[in-house]
Every structure is written in C-alpha cells, then in structure tokens.
Amino acid sequence: MAERSTAAVDVADNSGDKPLAAKADEATSDGTAEAQDSTGTSPQDAETEPNGSGTTVPTPDLHSGHKLAGRYRLEECVTRLDGFSSWRAVDEKLRRAVGVHLLPADHPRARSVLAAARSSALLGDPRFVQVLDAVEENDLVYVVHEWLPDATELTALLGAGPMDAHDAYQLVSQLSQAMAAAHREGLAHLRLTPGAVLRSSSGQYRIRGLAVNAALRGITSDGPQRADTEAIGALLYAALTRRWPYESDAYGLTGLPKGVGLIAPDQVRAGVHRGLSEIAMRALANDGATASRQEQPCTTPDELAKAVAAMPRIRPPEPTFTAPPEYQRTTYQQGTYGRPAGPGNGVVTQPVVVPPAPLQSRTGKALKWAVSALLIAALGLGSWQLAETLLNRDKGAEDPGTTQTNPENGDKPKPRTPVPLKISDATEFTPSGSGISQDEAPNTVDGKPGTSWITPQYKGYPNFGNLAPRKDGSGIVVDLGSVQDVSGIDITMYRSGQKAEVLAAEENASGPSSLSDFSQRLTQLGTAGSSLKETLAEPVRTRYVLIHITELPQDDTGSGYRGGISEISVLG
C-alpha cells in the first residue's frame, strides 16, 4: 500500500539530516510549549502567530460561554497558536465534556484540517481519541473530539520519573499496534509527542490528534510511516531514561549531551531493560547505530509492533508488601493493670478493679459441676480421635500400596493434567478484510474430525498464490468467551506440511483483527505435521487464540496448493 498522509498541506521539510521527529518539533515553536489538545495547559499569550509565510492569521475572537451549533459551549481556551485555538467545552445536548479545535474558514489550512478530521473519524479505533464532529459554519471551521478527564498525559507521567520495564513495554506495544492499524488505513499522525499520548486509569494508552494535529500545524512528510515509527522510538527512549533522545530539550525533558550523538538508553541510565533499549534504538534514525546490536532498524509501525511481540513478555513487578503498624499492647497485656506506677517509670496509674466474688449459691455449684463435666467429655473425645489418627498413620506406613506426597519433605505434587477449555466461537482470520471459506470456520470446533475449514486451491505459489489480499496469511481465531489461563493447544491439521504458528492476543484485547493484535507467541513459526501440539511452560492469559497459516502444501493433484484445519482444542 502506498504511504499517504491525510494531513495534506504542502510544506516540505528538507532541512538536512536531522531526525524527522526533531524537524517536526522545529515546525512549531521550540517543542517545549506544545499546543495541547485536550488537557489543561497555560494558554498562549499572543492573539496572532506567524503562519510560516511572513503574514499573520487572526485568531477567531471567541470567549468562554460562546456556543457553537447551539450545543457546544466553550469553557476554557487551552491553546492559541498560528491562527487556531483549542478549547475545553461542554456538549449541552449529551451533557459531557468535549474538546474543540477552532480556526477561520479562510485559514490556509482549514480545508486540510476538515479532511484530516473526517478521515480520522472514519477509523473508529478505540485506541485513538475519537473525532466526534467536523463542521464548517458561520465562517468558522471546528473539530469536536473526545475529552478524557480521567486520563493522564504522558508528559505528566514522565515528569514523575522513568517508567519501569513493564510500563515501558506496554507503552511501545500499544502505540506501535495502534499506529500500525492507522497506517493500514492510510492515516498518519506526524505529531506523536508526549502531549499526544494519554493513559487511562485502567492502564490503556490512547492517542489523540491522529492526522488532525499535523494538519493544524501544516506538517507533512515524504515518509509518514518512518516519521511515526521514529516518534514512537523517541517516546520509548524518554520512558526508559526520562531524557529526550536529541540534543535539544523538549516537552519538559532534558536532551542528550551535545556532541556525543545518540547513545543507547541502557548507557544513559543504569538498570534499563536491555531488550527495550534495543527496540528504542531500532526505531530511531541513528545513522547506523543499530549495526552494533546486530539488529535491523524498524522503519514502519508494523515492523516495530512485530519486533516488540517477538520479545519475551515482560511481566509486571511483584507487589511490595507493606508491614502493618507495630502491634500495641494494652496496659493490661503489659502487666501493669491495676498496679501503681513506680517513681520515674512513666507508667500511667490504672484504677484497681476488684473482681466480683465467686458464686457460692446452689446455682453456682451446679454450674461449676456442669462445666467440669463438659471439659472431661471434651478431653476424652480428643484423646479418642488422636488415638484413631495414630493407628491410621501406622496402618498406612505398613501398606506398601499406599503412596502419599508431602511437600514439606520435598515431594513434588502431581502435575495438573490440562483440560480442554470451552470455545465460544471460531471465525476466519481476515486481516485484509476479505475471507476464504468463512462459513466453514465453525467446523474447526464442532468436535467432528471429519469436518474441516479448507482453503481453495492456489496456483503457482504456496503463500496463498502470492495474492495481495493474503499477504498476511490466513487461519482461524477462536474466542474462549472470557479471559482464561491457556496452558497448551492440540490442533488437527487438514493436511501435513502447512507452515503455521499459534499466537494469542493480550489479556485486555477486544475483537483483535490484525496480526499485530496477537502479540503473545504460543508456538514458533514452522512446518506442521498432521497435528500441532504444544504444552506451555507457563500459562498465558488470553481470550483470543489465532492459528495462523502462512504457507500451504501441494494438494493431491500436484498442480496447486491447499490446506486447512480440522479440529482445534485449547487447553487450560
């Protein structure tokens, strides 16, 4: 697919060999006073700003309380820059907070902003802050988008210090997968800065300003995929080191020392995860620095997502145990109850409490005898049970057929036998949007080995005829209905010789549809026989499992290629 950017304003930047992310920063002031889109920052003081052509563009004369389309009430201006302004507003019709970008209809970038906003709205991916409306009205162009009051901007997260390895892994994994999905639809960001990334209270990252932020600032790129990949690498670098990976300071982060060039994150700060450090270097344009790591650079978000998925999974840190406050004994437990304080011992004098006199009546005597009888009965019952337990133990020791494991003595318990998990649904994997034999997908989970999902015959090439719609292969996605602990798989293939792998989506995935959505590897890619079985060393938590086929074997005629899957069993 040819790369294209919806932020289509013809402002080419051919200013030498600086990295793309650094060039984008220079296109809008100094990179430290970033125009924020939906969280509170100080508004710009200037009412007008140069538009890059030597002239000034007047900012729309609006104020708090102004209402757009009879429903969007402006509340607070958070950005005023280059002829446009950004506001926190209220949608009075739906009673919710929204963000609004405003610019005059005769602004030189008004048409491209409208086009970018409408293209972004069509994507409908929940990993991006959604565009809700894009309108031209009364000599104004305005774009309305979601406002996430409970989300935290990455700028604030980095202000608190570097991230741990697990959080940085989640950041680069989620951002690269989201941008890979956007580029498959022809959409680029080109302004992917710490201010454009938000983390929700559940730990999910959301990207705002897809295509729109670049259109507002007139930023374009001849290589949009490379630009966005490098931007993700810069964010990962900042997350690992709390340093911006260029010589200039930006976004509240200190740049690298001048004259030393780009150095790996694990050389900037001790304790940085080596694998994530290498991923950051592969994503950044670093003039061949990756050669020392024997790794190829990542030039697209999809390549970056695959490189992250190929890493061993980084688990969250173990929770730290906080000891409860020291147990405070009462004065009674300290042995001072009713005892006067000695001179200088600091013990508070407690009043002497005289216990009541014992019961001396007939009722009291009867009660004492009853309690004594109960105690004698309890002691007798306990002795009988103890004797029975000892006899049973001796009997078990004499019986050679009795086997008992005792973990305290180093005996290992019997391993738990994996059992098939209930499969809620099976669908065909269609990353390109076009299917092969979608109606046959349920045959793979019907418990009948005689029914199968079978591909048609492909001529010439084993990789599905080398046809463009099948460049990512095909296969079956099984839905377990809810997140489960998966400990193995047992798959019956329709034919031997198919090149296949088994992948799983992340625990929090919802409706995964592309290859990058399945980031957990259950088996390596290889040629399978009549069956594909694997028992995992550690269970993987997931809801969706993909049996991914990339190449087919020759069929019985020898003139084409055909494959398929007969039965799928996921073990837990």
Side-chain angles (χ1 to χ4, degrees), residues 36-40 72 78 86-91 94 96-101 117 120-121 123-134 143-151 195-196 198 200 205-210 212-213:
Q36 304 299 326
D37 298 322
S38 64
T39 61
Y72 303 116
V78 296
S86 298
W87 295 74
R88 176 176 59 84
V90 175
D91 182 351
L94 297 180
R96 64 178 178 180
V98 294
V100 178
H101 300 303
S120 178
L123 181 62
D125 191 318
R127 294 171 291 192
F128 296 90
V129 174
Q130 299 295 296
V131 172
L132 305 175
D133 211 349
V143 176
V144 183
H145 59 84
E146 285 183 294
W147 184 278
L148 306 176
D150 296 330
L198 306 172
S200 68
Y205 288 94
R206 303 280 299 276
I207 300 173
R208 65 183 174 196
L210 178 66
V212 176
N213 279 7

Side-chain angles (χ1 to χ4, degrees), residues 300-526:
T300 69
D302 188 56
E303 289 179 358
L304 182 59
K306 290 178 179 177
V308 175
M311 290 177 55
R313 187 181 181 187
I314 301 176
R315 298 189 177 276
E318 293 293 333
T320 56
F321 174 75
T322 303
E326 184 179 356
Y327 179 64
Q328 299 293 332
R329 296 185 297 172
T330 64
T331 55
Y332 179 78
Q333 292 166 321
Q334 291 168 349
T336 61
Y337 183 78
R339 185 189 311 164
N345 62 7
V347 180
V348 179
T349 303
Q350 300 290 340
V352 177
V353 179
V354 179
L359 296 174
Q360 297 297 333
S361 62
R362 291 182 179 180
T363 303
K365 292 180 180 180
L367 182 59
K368 287 193 292 184
W369 281 110
V371 172
S372 299
L374 289 174
L375 288 174
I376 293 172
L379 288 171
L381 180 60
S383 300
W384 175 75
Q385 290 179 333
L386 177 60
E388 185 179 25
T389 301
L390 292 173
L391 289 173
N392 289 338
R393 187 181 66 178
D394 293 341
K395 182 180 178 181
E398 295 172 359
D399 185 2
T402 303
T403 303
Q404 184 175 1
T405 60
N406 185 357
E408 295 182 358
N409 295 332
D411 295 335
K412 293 184 180 180
K414 293 182 179 179
R416 179 175 173 273
T417 303
V419 296
L421 298 174
K422 182 179 178 181
I423 295 178
S424 174
D425 192 18
T427 56
E428 187 173 291
F429 178 55
T430 56
S432 62
S434 61
I436 298 176
S437 304
Q438 300 183 59
D439 295 340
E440 296 179 356
N443 292 345
T444 61
V445 294
D446 60 2
K448 302 175 182 178
T451 60
S452 305
W453 169 79
I454 306 171
T455 72
Q457 184 190 62
Y458 290 92
K459 299 284 188 179
Y461 300 92
N463 59 338
F464 294 84
N466 203 28
L467 300 176
R470 298 269 73 82
K471 62 180 181 179
D472 287 333
S474 187
I476 297 294
V477 177
V478 295
D479 180 0
L480 301 177
S482 62
V483 176
Q484 304 283 344
D485 285 325
V486 174
S487 60
I489 47 97
D490 186 354
I491 303 164
T492 303
M493 308 298 287
Y494 175 70
R495 299 181 64 86
S496 299
Q498 301 181 77
K499 195 170 184 179
E501 62 184 343
V502 182
L503 308 171
E506 288 289 338
E507 180 178 352
N508 51 23
S510 176
S513 59
S514 65
L515 194 58
S516 60
D517 293 335
F518 295 88
S519 58
Q520 303 188 83
R521 180 172 296 280
L522 305 188
T523 72
Q524 295 296 325
L525 179 64

